[in-house]
Amino acid sequence: MIEEIKELERISRLLDPPEKKRIEWTNHVTTHANKFLSRLENNKAYLQNEDQGAGILKYDIEEEPSELSNLLQSFESHIQNDGINAASAGHMGYIPGGGLYPSALGDYLAAVSNKYAGIFYPAPGAVRLENLLIRWMNRLMGFPESSGGNLTSGGSISNLIAIVTAREAAEIKSKDFHRLVVYISDESHHSLPKALKIAGLGEAQLRHIPLDAELRMRTDHLDEIIEEDAKNGLLPFFINGSLGTTNTGTIDPINMLANIARKHNLWFHVDAAYGGFFKLIPELKDKFNGIEKADSITLDPHKSLFLPFGTGAVLIKDVKAMHQGHQYTADYLQDLVDSDDEINPADVSPELTKHFRGMRMWLPMKLFGLKPFRAALREKLLLAQYFNEQIKKVPKFECGGKPDLSVALFRYVPDKYDANIFNQKLIRAIQDDGRIFLSSTTINGTFWIRVAVLVFRTHLRHVDLLLEILQEKVDLITNE
Ligand SMILES: *Cc1c(COP(=O)(O)O)cnc(C)c1O
């Protein structure tokens, strides 16, 4: 047996390469990554390859090892250079993300040290770091020190944790699930009904509150609607306010919603996945008014804090209910020694073992300090306004109102041509060109093209390039 163990060790040691090999591989990967970053400015924001990345399927898992250079080559051809280039300054579709370089270094340290950030006992420093970030976000939103939270994989899981916690706080029994009423709008994010379903509350009634002309949730009849529901034997339960809808970046009247929720004793959730970190700049102070009265807030550092995908956050005042919804223990965890003042991430989330996300958030924020984040957010806000003002000046272009955040809507209205069809052609032409990537939406039957400025690399010259491309494509389609 000893012989066999030694023979197995000889092979299994391949999993733990010596320093020379590690340095060689690391250099190879960082050289590749830096080449990618240095060429970003000249590469397209959107690439459509015929095989749609299918080439990667040739690289299935096998017994024998492969060369790193081959693997990097296949990554480049089939993954990196296909689809939306999310790192590109030209990515202005959907709600773009970020990908700050030091986040990759934070991930590297998190993976190499493999700290177990789900529980305090095995990694007290790691858990303290994640909770420090939660406390910073709580302060930023005006929540009390005693509030809780979690670094999640994204806004969807954050919304789920908020809904599960709200369910616990209200002590709702399954016999009443079908009587629950959740107040949202047509512009609320689809992850909310999805989270309700996952939380077992799929039978709850979704009350879609009407929107005003600017697509903001109307509050003028909300009181009556809630009272009417209660009178009809239903259980008004949860109000969602969007602080920046995904579609148009519109901000719901947060303070009014907070007051109505408080009056009727409903859980008030603010889905600020897109807009949350715009709190770092003073311009939007009024729009954030009342967010401190919320019971829970969803944030997405991988949107307005420019981090790489896979970084969300949820903030919740009622830590007890958060624990009630998520805390479990087991025989094999008997050695755990809890901290008196630190929350275990695993006790307030569906996850146990998890990625140590704190590092990818903390490292860039400490290395850069807050100043460039504030500047970048204000810059993106102004770029969206600048785009809006410029496009309005071009004949036959129409825009969808002054943007609340960094999403602007526009469309071209030709003299003799169906506008919806024309704009479908226009977005197709922009996407085929690929230098800038935009997406579109339909509101009340009208087809709009969206410009979402949120990649930290997007600057004035990219918006000017977009304006040039638009004119070029309109001329092309008109002369077809
Ligand atoms: C993006 C977004 C979500 C979902 O977040 P993910 O990180 O994609 O899971 C939820 N709500 C709003 C308003 C969003 O913009």
Side-chain angles (χ1 to χ4, degrees):
M1 187 159 83
I2 299 288
E3 275 318 299
E4 193 188 351
I5 290 175
K6 286 187 170 164
E7 173 57 15
L8 289 171
E9 174 177 331
R10 197 182 58 77
I11 306 172
S12 74
R13 272 181 178 277
L14 290 169
L15 295 178
D16 195 14
E19 181 168 347
K20 185 159 166 280
K21 193 77 195 167
R22 294 198 304 269
I23 291 175
E24 181 198 314
W25 280 350
T26 309
N27 285 343
H28 213 122
V29 169
T30 53
T31 304
H32 180 94
N34 280 306
K35 201 167 81 183
F36 166 75
L37 292 177
S38 304
R39 291 182 181 174
L40 264 182
E41 192 64 25
N42 302 319
N43 284 349
K44 292 193 167 185
Y46 185 48
L47 283 166
Q48 307 172 73
N49 294 326
E50 208 133 284
D51 80 336
Q52 297 182 302
I56 199 66
L57 299 176
K58 287 206 290 276
Y59 295 81
D60 206 344
I61 307 306
E62 297 165 339
E63 282 300 324
E64 296 308 315
S66 308
E67 278 297 317
L68 180 58
S69 52
N70 285 341
L71 300 177
L72 289 177
Q73 188 57 52
S74 59
F75 168 75
E76 177 167 339
S77 314
H78 309 303
I79 298 173
Q80 179 185 298
N81 294 340
D82 198 23
I84 298 174
N85 184 352
S88 167
H91 176 25
M92 306 182 204
Y94 306 106
I95 302 288
L100 294 173
Y101 185 72
S103 288
L105 302 178
D107 274 352
Y108 175 76
L109 293 173
V112 167
S113 67
N114 202 27
K115 294 309 288 185
Y116 193 94
I119 300 181
F120 180 79
Y121 167 70
V127 167
R128 283 190 200 279
L129 181 78
E130 294 208 342
N131 287 340
L132 171 152
L133 294 165
I134 300 284
R135 282 193 292 272
W136 171 67
M137 288 183 275
N138 273 320
R139 282 200 304 277
L140 182 64
M141 297 299 147
F143 268 26
E145 269 292 300
S146 58
S147 306
N150 188 247
L151 286 186
T152 65
S153 59
S156 300
I157 299 296
S158 300
N159 282 339
L160 174 64
I161 293 176
I163 282 170
V164 165
T165 304
R167 184 195 67 201
E168 294 299 311
E171 299 180 357
I172 297 156
K173 300 281 179 283
S174 60
K175 66 175 172 51
D176 292 325
F177 284 0
H178 67 287
R179 293 167 61 213
L180 295 176
V181 192
V182 174
Y183 301 88
I184 62 174
S185 85
D186 281 341
E187 295 292 321
S188 297
H189 196 267
H190 73 270
S191 58
L192 284 155
K194 180 173 168 180
L196 282 165
K197 191 165 208 176
I198 298 172
L201 306 179
E203 292 166 74
Q205 322 220 3
L206 291 181
R207 194 74 70 233
H208 286 91
I209 302 305
L211 300 162
D212 67 14
E214 291 174 306
L215 303 179
R216 254 177 269 285
M217 215 192 221
R218 278 175 53 178
T219 51
D220 46 352
H221 298 296
L222 188 51
D223 253 331
E224 295 156 45
I225 295 171
I226 294 170
E227 278 162 18
E228 189 69 18
D229 281 336
K231 225 187 285 164
N232 290 330
L234 299 175
L235 297 172
F237 160 57
F238 187 102
I239 301 183
N240 175 68
S242 301
L243 205 151
T245 61
T246 315
N247 206 14
T248 60
T250 304
I251 300 177
D252 284 334
I254 299 299
N255 195 40
M256 305 262 265
L257 291 174
N259 291 341
I260 294 171
R262 187 164 283 186
K263 179 174 162 200
H264 297 277
N265 201 20
L266 307 191
W267 187 278
F268 181 45
H269 177 67
V270 178
D271 183 355
Y274 162 31
F277 291 101
F278 281 93
K279 185 126 202 298
L280 284 166
I281 56 175
E283 280 87 334
L284 296 170
K285 200 165 164 282
D286 290 348
K287 305 256 182 206
F288 277 87
N289 210 353
I291 195 170
E292 71 286 349
K293 297 183 214 164
D295 295 289
S296 53
I297 302 173
T298 282
L299 298 171
D300 246 346
H302 66 203
K303 287 178 180 163
S304 44
L305 209 57
F306 315 120
L307 299 196
F309 291 136
T311 331
V314 62
L315 308 174
I316 299 184
K317 281 182 185 154
D318 188 343
V319 179
K320 194 163 150 253
M322 226 185 161
H323 276 128
Q324 253 164 38
H326 302 94
Q327 191 172 31
Y328 275 84
T329 190
D331 297 338
Y332 41 82
L333 298 178
Q334 66 183 14
D335 302 334
L336 299 188
V337 182
D338 270 341
S339 153
D340 291 338
D341 45 17
E342 297 290 349
I343 294 173
N344 287 324
D347 290 342
V348 293
S349 135
E351 295 178 302
L352 175 57
T353 308
K354 69 178 200 85
H355 178 58
F356 175 22
R357 298 180 184 106
M359 279 305 287
R360 52 156 58 185
M361 181 163 171
W362 178 75
L363 200 63
M365 298 200 70
K366 289 302 288 178
L367 265 178
F368 295 134
L370 277 177
K371 218 171 170 180
F373 287 91
R374 295 189 204 274
L377 286 164
R378 178 157 160 75
E379 179 197 21
K380 307 316 163 205
L381 206 65
L382 292 180
L383 285 175
Q385 288 170 17
Y386 168 79
F387 173 83
N388 213 46
E389 274 157 31
Q390 295 305 307
I391 199 73
K392 261 196 291 197
K393 290 186 204 155
V394 187
K396 300 199 181 74
F397 273 101
E398 186 181 295
C399 63
K402 187 172 182 281
D404 273 352
L405 288 168
S406 62
V407 173
L409 265 61
F410 71 93
R411 65 188 198 125
Y412 186 79
V413 188
D415 290 334
K416 291 179 257 157
Y417 208 94
D418 181 89
N420 281 4
I421 294 174
F422 191 97
N423 286 285
Q424 279 163 32
K425 284 190 173 187
L426 183 54
I427 185 89
R428 176 58 49 84
I430 297 162
Q431 292 183 351
D432 285 346
D433 176 281
R435 281 174 291 171
I436 302 280
F437 178 79
L438 302 182
S439 59
S440 67
T441 187
T442 298
I443 298 167
N444 300 326
T446 301
F447 189 99
W448 293 92
I449 302 179
R450 297 167 71 258
V451 180
V453 189
L454 203 61
V455 173
F456 60 95
R457 295 190 176 96
T458 306
H459 304 298
L460 185 60
R461 68 177 175 284
H462 306 108
V463 175
D464 281 336
L465 173 65
L466 170 60
L467 290 162
E468 264 171 47
I469 293 174
L470 284 175
Q471 193 59 65
E472 183 188 310
K473 301 303 170 195
V474 162
D475 292 346
L476 214 75
I477 299 170
T478 311
N479 298 325
E480 245 174 21

